[in-house]
Amino acid sequence: MNEPAPETLADDAGRAELLEAALAGLRARPRGLSPKFFYDERGSRLFDAICEQPEYYPTRTEMAILETIRAEVAELAGRDTLLVEMGAGAARKVRLLLDALEPAGYLGADISWDFLRECTERLAADYPWLDVRAACVDYSRDFDLPLDPDGPRPLAFFPGSSIGNFHPEEARAVLARLAAALGTEAGLLIGVDLKKDPAILDAAYNDAAGVTAAFNHNLLLRLRDELGADLDPDGFAHRAFYNTEAGRVEMHLASQGPQRIALGGEVFEFEDGETIHTECSYKYTVEEFRDLGRSAGFSPRRVWTDPEGLFSVHYLTT
Ligand code: AVI
């Protein structure tokens, strides 16, 4: 495996980025923090646990779709591709594709280096015939992929509706950067969560076991443990709800009573009920997402959904 930047986000630069973002986010009104900071090692593990919750339908629904369509995807994309998994954290879904696709290689691209390395090492051990590589990539910024122009045709795999965690304009920019990084005649297989009954969405982001709440709280633990913030994590409550007008689930941390957070020499006063907005999870109709893909330079080729219309998987090409 190549090791381009093993310390990214765990090192001083990562801490400085978190501090800068946290200060800017706490000064702003309304207050907010980027969801990309959820995914330190503990956050990545909590996200894996969210995927196991009965209320969180996206993971199992997408897996069922992938199981049904994998032979068709192999026909569309061809064999001997370089399978590039965006956000490779769990690497479970890709296992569903590997036997059907028989790719020439696998490149895992994820923001959390330690977690990615662990997952790709396991993948390499389980698939000895596969050339497994890993790259630490933050696709919310300009990024490049270590692709050989004379190598196999890339097929990007972007599961989990992670694209929904970007505002639509940013999502377009991410897809446009991905199209540029992949080059011509490449494919993209992407999972996109669909608009649906808000009650299903509200339940999915408020699981009874409290795993999503712990995932949300992990942001506060990171500020306390990595940046030395003086704060009471239990003084904030998990809030998640579907905002119909904006077409997105919002997650917040709501102050339980008046309190303060001290960070980096500044003190931030919270009123009772004031929130830190921690995540948006946009939901699309099939047509809305096809339009988004087109506007980013992809050609939509096929789309599949589950029988209940909860989730979609799109195949697009550059
Ligand atoms: C990673 N992402 C697509 C998840 C979502 O559903 O937006 C993150 C998540 N947040 C709360 N639960 C899951």
Side-chain angles (χ1 to χ4, degrees):
M1 290 200 311
N2 67 345
E3 301 202 358
E7 285 91 24
T8 308
L9 288 186
D11 59 8
D12 289 347
R15 247 191 310 279
E17 186 191 355
L18 178 60
L19 177 61
E20 195 187 324
L23 289 173
L26 290 171
R27 286 180 199 131
R29 292 292 190 283
R31 291 175 156 142
L33 254 177
S34 164
K36 75 177 180 182
F37 296 113
F38 281 134
Y39 300 94
D40 64 345
E41 201 178 338
R42 181 172 47 203
S44 297
R45 287 187 200 289
L46 281 166
F47 177 62
D48 256 10
I50 288 176
C51 295
E52 303 291 326
Q53 298 311 301
E55 300 92 338
Y56 194 74
Y57 63 86
T59 311
R60 62 171 181 275
T61 310
E62 184 180 39
M63 300 263 281
I65 297 173
L66 290 171
E67 225 170 321
T68 314
I69 68 170
R70 54 190 167 173
E72 208 178 327
V73 173
E75 261 173 47
L76 285 166
R79 290 194 167 73
D80 293 325
T81 58
L82 174 68
L83 191 59
V84 182
E85 190 178 13
M86 308 293 295
R92 262 177 61 217
K93 291 170 188 164
V94 82
R95 288 165 187 254
L96 277 175
L97 294 179
L98 286 173
D99 289 329
L101 286 175
E102 295 171 24
Y106 168 91
L107 174 68
D110 196 286
I111 193 169
S112 171
W113 176 256
D114 291 337
F115 200 62
L116 172 65
R117 188 160 57 178
E118 196 186 306
C119 293
T120 47
E121 274 171 5
R122 253 200 321 259
L123 198 68
D126 292 347
Y127 293 83
W129 50 268
L130 190 65
D131 176 27
V132 176
R133 291 165 193 267
C136 196
V137 170
D138 176 358
Y139 39 81
S140 68
R141 300 161 166 250
D142 275 344
F143 67 88
D144 212 359
L145 293 168
L147 300 177
D148 173 2
D150 301 320
R153 206 168 71 89
L155 169 64
F157 178 47
F158 200 166
S161 202
S162 295
I163 194 68
N165 295 131
F166 295 96
H167 295 290
E169 271 315 307
E170 292 166 8
R172 186 193 324 275
V174 170
L175 293 175
R177 286 197 288 267
L178 179 59
L182 292 172
T184 51
E185 289 181 32
L188 168 63
L189 189 67
I190 184 166
V192 182
D193 200 9
L194 294 172
K195 287 188 166 147
K196 60 181 61 67
D197 179 355
I200 298 176
L201 292 165
D202 287 351
Y205 290 81
N206 290 284
D207 61 276
V211 184
T212 308
F215 176 71
N216 202 4
H217 272 106
N218 185 46
L219 271 180
L220 295 173
L221 301 186
R222 289 198 69 187
L223 301 192
R224 185 190 66 187
D225 301 344
E226 291 175 44
L227 304 179
D230 184 10
L231 57 81
D232 172 18
D234 298 331
F236 289 83
H238 168 70
R239 294 269 178 277
F241 54 88
Y242 185 61
N243 177 336
T244 312
E245 213 167 292
R248 67 190 190 204
V249 173
E250 294 184 10
M251 290 214 311
H252 296 255
L253 289 160
S255 184
Q256 304 296 93
Q259 61 181 313
R260 52 183 53 174
I261 290 180
L263 173 66
E266 291 182 46
V267 174
F268 301 94
E269 302 279 354
F270 283 78
E271 290 170 15
D272 182 28
E274 195 177 345
T275 76
I276 307 173
H277 187 173
T278 52
E279 187 183 65
C280 288
S281 191
Y282 283 87
K283 311 302 171 188
Y284 290 90
T285 64
V286 162
E287 259 330 298
E288 281 170 350
F289 189 77
R290 286 165 76 98
D291 286 345
L292 188 73
R294 267 187 213 102
S295 70
F298 283 98
S299 302
R301 300 289 179 194
R302 274 234 51 182
V303 59
W304 303 267
T305 65
D306 57 294
E308 288 172 82
L310 296 173
F311 201 89
S312 61
V313 176
H314 297 247
Y315 178 69
L316 311 93
T317 54
T318 52

